[in-house]
Amino acid sequence: MDLIPDPRRTWPVKHETGVHHLDGETLIDAGPGTEGVARWLRTAVGAATGLPLGDAAGAIGSGDDENRVLLEINPALESELGPEAYRLTADGRTIRIDGGSAAGVFWGAQTLRQLLGPDAYRAAPVAPGREWTVPTVIVEDAPRFGWRGLMLDVARHFMPKDGVLRYLDLLAAHKLNVFHFHLTDDQGWRVEIKRFPKLTEIGAWRDRTKWGFRTSELWDEKPHGGYYTQDDIREIVAYAAERHITVVPEIDIPGHSQAAIAAYPELGNSDVVDTAALKVWDTWGINPNLLAPTENTLRFYEGVFEELLELFPAATSPFIHVGGDECPKDQWRESPLAQARIAELGLADEDELQSWFIRHFDRWLTARGRRLIGWDEILEGGLAPGATVSSWRGYGGGIAAAKAGHDVVMCPEQQVYLDHRQADGDDEPMPIGYVRTLEDVYRFEPVPPELSAEEAAHVLGTQANTWTEVMQDRSRVDYQVFPRLAAFAEVAWSSLPAPGERDFADFEQRMTEHYRRLDALGVEYRPPGGPLAWQRRPVPNGDPARLGRPIDGPPPNV
């Protein structure tokens, strides 16, 4: 059946033809709590097939009580396999999708779409009147991890709202359930905050953009920017919720904040830097300009988070990401104000000052029913009591946090940074970082062996990260993300053997069909044989090393 992710159990149902037909008389019978899944089936699958998939509740006297797609929440299934579990049964008479929750029913509906074939991923029928069939089969499945995510950086290169909605559909098609929304950085502020309008009036736009890696001498001289209005954000969150995807917004503090400082110079360390002269950053790398540790800064970001919490309700966004990464502390060392703050608080050094900053917002968010999550640098100077750690600099930060009793999301750059190149050829577009092939991602293991069973329980799951410094448009994002996201989705969902024992040949065989699904969705993935002519990009200055391709040692942090 070439399903991706690979399900736990499948077995055939005896039937004279071996297939189950859907036709113009097929109705959807949605049990309580599954109405949203029924709506999605009619919108997505109905559009592709041309089938009306009418409401069984309104079909009086239809004369065929068996030609149904039954959707039902099954508490027993939840007890046995968990809330996101599902069981799909196609027996030639009825298709039944039971789920441990509405989310489980939705993932079962995604499997039904795969069983219908690649054309079920199109926006309209390509062959009106064709027969639509699925095998007579039972599929029983449940995810390994509760956190199966993709981080998308829209700060470095802005992705318009329709592109974000499209990526939510792509996540859902791969049974991924967390969208980490990287909304602010040195190169742009992307969310409207009404009490601080300059964040988007000034902070959302830069004059030009570095072309290539940060050592490139080339520039795109066209201004770049954009932001999401608050109504855009509400729409994105609602769209995600309909697809059972949690949105984790990220507002970077105290580093990666030059766009905010450019808008409001008083946020920066003005006693050592002329912050009034700063603009939204136009290049890449680790920026020295960080927030001043003042009460004014705390109150400012409390105001930002107050609006953010309204836009991202607790029911759909329990976690708020505060960044905390790549925060060079030279300005704090030089700043009399920062040094006075360290002395006032009785802190040992600048690392503890950053910890004080993060701890403040940990308490602030906890008091409002939210959970703080940050990159693994928030371990430096002492981890805030309620914090969850995104472990990106390898496994080490996640191991330390889990051993200390903190929850962890594993996203090590060496394995699941999708901005890193997919092959070693010079035809790869603007290659950076490690070579991480489709097979490399498929053999990624989120839980390190150093953890005991009790400690491993703190690993909430895993996510792949997509930083967009060298991804100037949707096509480039597609190329970097796919097909590797399909391999990552299977790692995050399926209960796979140890990395060295995984059957990559079987996965590649199933990918043959999955490429056809991606084609139907219009995804501009990297083909197995390498980039197509129009997917290649010239290497600035003709020197791959200038793009950060590591010859020895680890990749640069970009």
Side-chain angles (χ1 to χ4, degrees):
M1 295 180 291
D2 297 325
L3 297 176
I4 290 176
D6 196 26
R8 291 192 179 195
R9 299 178 63 203
T10 63
W11 59 96
V13 173
K14 289 184 179 181
H15 185 264
E16 59 269 20
T17 65
V19 296
H20 182 111
H21 290 264
L22 281 79
D23 57 33
E25 303 301 316
T26 302
L27 302 175
I28 296 178
D29 191 346
T34 70
E35 296 85 359
V37 182
R39 186 162 52 248
W40 177 84
L41 277 168
R42 292 189 183 99
T43 301
V45 176
T49 61
L51 302 179
L53 300 177
D55 184 357
I60 300 173
S62 65
D64 187 356
D65 291 334
E66 292 186 339
N67 191 6
R68 299 279 196 276
V69 178
L70 301 177
L71 309 176
E72 194 76 34
I73 294 173
N74 185 338
L77 192 60
E78 179 183 15
S79 299
E80 180 184 356
L81 295 174
E84 292 186 277
Y86 69 88
R87 184 182 296 114
L88 183 153
T89 304
D91 61 9
R93 299 179 298 276
T94 298
I95 292 176
R96 182 181 182 94
I97 302 175
D98 291 287
S101 67
V105 177
F106 182 70
W107 304 131
Q110 292 289 348
T111 295
L112 173 61
R113 191 186 194 187
Q114 287 199 22
L115 293 173
L116 284 165
D119 283 346
Y121 288 80
R122 297 189 179 277
V126 293
R130 66 167 278 183
E131 286 191 345
W132 291 95
T133 63
V134 300
T136 50
V137 68
I138 297 174
V139 181
E140 186 176 88
D141 204 5
R144 178 186 180 191
F145 293 109
W147 186 302
R148 309 179 302 279
L150 175 72
M151 190 284 300
L152 180 63
D153 167 21
V154 297
R156 273 55 177 272
H157 278 99
F158 178 66
M159 181 178 283
K161 181 191 67 177
D162 64 336
V164 174
L165 299 178
R166 173 178 176 265
Y167 258 83
L168 290 171
D169 280 327
L170 291 171
L171 264 66
H174 291 82
K175 299 187 174 74
L176 297 173
N177 67 342
V178 176
F179 178 59
H180 178 167
F181 205 8
H182 185 79
L183 287 165
T184 73
D185 217 297
D186 301 301
Q187 296 85 1
W189 185 285
R190 304 296 179 216
V191 55
E192 178 188 27
I193 302 297
K194 292 190 175 180
R195 73 186 70 183
F196 302 124
K198 291 180 183 179
L199 287 172
T200 45
E201 291 172 2
I202 295 173
W205 309 93
R206 59 178 182 261
D207 294 337
R208 62 177 187 169
T209 299
K210 177 69 71 174
W211 179 249
F213 191 63
R214 60 177 173 263
T215 53
S216 166
E217 298 174 0
L218 303 181
W219 296 88
D220 180 350
E221 297 292 347
K222 182 174 67 176
H224 177 83
Y227 66 93
Y228 309 103
T229 67
Q230 294 201 350
D231 281 345
D232 289 339
I233 293 292
R234 293 184 181 98
E235 180 183 358
I236 288 167
V237 170
Y239 197 86
E242 187 87 348
R243 286 147 185 80
H244 300 277
I245 294 172
T246 293
V247 182
V248 179
E250 180 179 354
I251 302 293
D252 256 309
I253 56 173
H256 285 295
S257 297
Q258 183 161 320
I261 297 169
Y264 292 92
E266 65 271 20
L267 295 174
N269 296 284
S270 56
D271 55 344
V272 293
V273 176
D274 182 8
T275 56
L278 293 177
K279 293 185 176 182
V280 177
W281 213 25
D282 54 15
T283 189
W284 321 123
I286 299 176
N287 188 299
N289 295 296
L290 67 163
L291 298 172
T294 65
E295 291 298 319
N296 175 69
T297 300
L298 296 181
R299 299 294 88 74
F300 183 97
Y301 275 87
E302 286 171 4
V304 168
F305 284 121
E306 281 177 4
E307 292 196 24
L308 202 75
L309 296 190
E310 189 274 326
L311 296 173
F312 295 90
T316 54
S317 299
F319 287 87
I320 303 295
H321 208 292
V322 300
D325 61 315
E326 296 182 329
C327 184
K329 302 177 178 66
D330 294 340
Q331 289 182 3
W332 284 354
R333 293 186 185 97
E334 299 169 6
S335 164
L337 187 151
Q339 292 301 310
R341 178 64 102 177
I342 290 173
E344 173 194 345
L345 296 170
L347 305 176
D349 54 22
E350 291 77 19
D351 283 344
E352 287 197 4
L353 183 60
Q354 178 175 349
S355 178
W356 164 81
F357 210 111
I358 300 299
R359 285 170 184 264
H360 173 86
F361 284 100
D362 179 51
R363 292 191 299 271
W364 192 92
L365 289 167
T366 298
R368 288 155 182 80
R370 304 303 180 94
R371 297 184 64 183
L372 179 144
I373 183 170
W375 303 110
D376 56 59
E377 285 94 332
I378 67 172
L379 287 158
E380 298 166 4
L383 189 56
T388 298
V389 171
S390 299
S391 188
W392 76 274
R393 295 180 299 175
Y395 290 99
I399 291 171
K403 285 182 175 295
H406 288 264
D407 288 340
V408 175
V409 176
M410 285 295 186
C411 49
E413 66 167 335
Q414 296 88 345
Q415 280 78 25
V416 289
Y417 266 37
L418 301 184
D419 45 312
H420 289 191
R421 67 196 195 277
Q422 303 182 63
D424 204 24
D426 289 336
D427 58 352
E428 292 298 318
M430 290 190 184
I432 61 172
Y434 286 107
V435 172
R436 281 297 170 258
T437 65
L438 183 67
E439 182 172 0
D440 290 332
V441 174
Y442 190 68
R443 298 194 187 281
F444 163 58
E445 172 50 47
V447 180
E450 294 90 337
L451 297 180
S452 68
E454 182 180 356
E455 292 161 349
H458 285 290
V459 179
L460 301 179
T462 181
Q463 71 180 34
N465 294 338
T466 306
W467 303 102
T468 61
E469 286 93 335
V470 298
M471 301 180 213
Q472 72 280 2
D473 55 30
R474 192 184 85 172
S475 295
R476 283 289 287 117
V477 175
D478 276 6
Y479 180 91
Q480 292 302 131
V481 170
F482 290 98
R484 291 183 294 182
L485 192 70
F488 173 80
E490 185 148 308
V491 168
W493 177 281
S494 303
S495 297
L496 297 176
E501 301 170 6
R502 294 176 188 173
D503 190 348
F504 181 67
D506 172 72
F507 176 76
E508 276 193 306
Q509 185 276 322
R510 286 181 284 120
M511 278 300 298
T512 301
E513 181 77 354
H514 199 65
Y515 285 121
R516 296 178 60 207
R517 298 178 190 125
L518 297 178
D519 286 333
L521 287 166
V523 176
E524 298 180 65
Y525 56 85
R526 182 189 186 275
L532 302 172
W534 55 86
Q535 292 175 319
R536 298 167 188 155
R537 286 288 185 275
V539 175
N541 303 316
D543 181 2
R546 297 181 70 86
L547 294 178
R549 294 176 65 186
I551 299 171
D552 296 300
N557 300 324
V558 292

